[in-house]
Amino acid sequence: MSRELKSHFKSDLEKEQKLSALLDSYYKKHLKHYGFKRVYDIERQRSGADVILKRKSNGKVYFVDEKAQLDYINDDLPTFAFELSYLKKGVLKKGWLYDTSKKTEFYALITAIYSDAPGLYTSCKITMVNRKKLIALLASRKLNSESFESRDLKQGRIIIPELNSRTEGYVYFTKLKKAEKPLNLILKLDFLLEKGIAKRLI
């Protein structure tokens, strides 16, 4: 890893650690019926679990993957990008949405992250998305991992007939700027909330 990449990675890690303190305070305040434990083990994080929620009434455990819009500080975007696929050393890999090795049951989408000073986060929004319900909703529209990847992919925004691009979402392919060539599904947060597969925690 180059010195520049190491510096960037360290910076991102520090941002995530500082943001997690704010998130933990929100979980404690708004998830009264759950206990929560933050995961620090790198391998468990890679398996799709940043936080483990445990329902107090029956002890049921849920694995939560936090996804934060740290590139959009002091901005409140109405959409979120779900990773469908990417290239690694020239090999096409499943993105985190369809990666069956991930244990994730819920995504905590962290948006509208506000900061008064560098590294000091004062507020954010958390939208909890049920992964299984999201995949089922997409399947009901005849959308799955293979159907996304089999399309004629052109750089930039791709309108697909299965989704209303104005109110629901679209596909975005980054072909030119990044070596991984990520393919993302951009979904409106209001669409996820209206369909009952997401809930706004705060």
Side-chain angles (χ1 to χ4, degrees):
M1 188 183 289
S2 70
R3 183 178 298 176
E4 183 181 349
L5 281 174
K6 282 182 180 177
S7 176
H8 184 69
F9 178 76
K10 184 179 179 183
S11 175
D12 284 350
L13 193 60
E14 288 173 352
K15 288 178 184 177
E16 289 173 6
Q17 288 171 345
K18 289 176 179 177
L19 179 61
S20 67
L22 175 64
L23 299 178
D24 288 352
S25 71
Y26 283 154
Y27 295 147
K28 187 174 181 179
K29 182 177 180 180
H30 296 283
L31 292 172
K32 300 288 189 183
H33 301 295
Y34 295 86
F36 76 91
K37 182 173 71 172
R38 181 159 294 281
V39 175
Y40 295 101
D41 179 76
I42 297 297
E43 288 305 313
R44 294 194 76 180
Q45 289 177 349
R46 286 176 180 164
S47 74
D50 292 310
V51 171
I52 298 173
L53 297 180
K54 186 174 183 180
R55 191 166 184 85
K56 293 178 180 178
S57 62
N58 58 15
K60 187 168 175 55
V61 168
Y62 302 93
F63 296 104
V64 179
D65 191 359
E66 293 174 332
K67 301 294 183 185
Q69 290 182 338
L70 282 167
D71 290 334
Y72 301 94
I73 301 298
N74 296 325
D75 199 357
D76 189 0
L77 300 184
T79 58
F80 208 94
F82 293 79
E83 186 185 66
L84 297 171
S85 65
Y86 64 96
L87 284 179
K88 184 175 182 180
K89 297 180 180 178
V91 178
L92 188 65
K93 299 283 188 178
K94 299 288 186 191
W96 44 260
L97 178 60
Y98 285 110
D99 186 345
T100 55
S101 72
K102 303 293 186 188
K103 297 179 180 179
T104 310
E105 292 167 283
F106 289 89
Y107 296 114
L109 307 184
I110 320 300
T111 61
I113 304 168
Y114 285 89
S115 173
D116 291 339
L120 178 63
Y121 303 114
T122 54
S123 66
C124 66
K125 291 179 181 176
I126 304 175
T127 305
M128 302 294 288
V129 176
N130 186 307
R131 182 190 187 192
K132 187 180 290 186
K133 287 185 178 180
L134 173 56
I135 290 174
L137 172 66
L138 295 173
S140 73
R141 304 283 185 95
K142 309 299 182 188
L143 293 170
N144 56 38
S145 179
E146 288 71 29
S147 70
F148 283 117
E149 294 164 12
S150 64
R151 294 168 194 267
D152 180 22
L153 300 176
K154 299 175 182 178
Q155 165 68 26
R157 178 171 167 155
I158 303 166
I159 306 301
I160 59 175
E162 294 90 346
L163 293 171
N164 183 312
S165 62
R166 187 176 61 84
T167 61
E168 297 177 344
Y170 54 91
V171 173
Y172 197 94
F173 185 43
T174 308
K175 183 178 182 180
L176 304 176
K177 295 181 181 179
K178 295 185 178 181
E180 313 90 54
K181 294 180 171 50
L183 178 64
N184 289 319
L185 176 62
I186 312 298
L187 294 177
K188 297 275 188 180
L189 293 174
D190 283 347
F191 167 59
L192 299 176
L193 292 166
E194 288 164 8
K195 290 297 180 181
I197 61 175
K199 289 184 179 179
R200 180 67 47 75
L201 183 62
I202 185 171

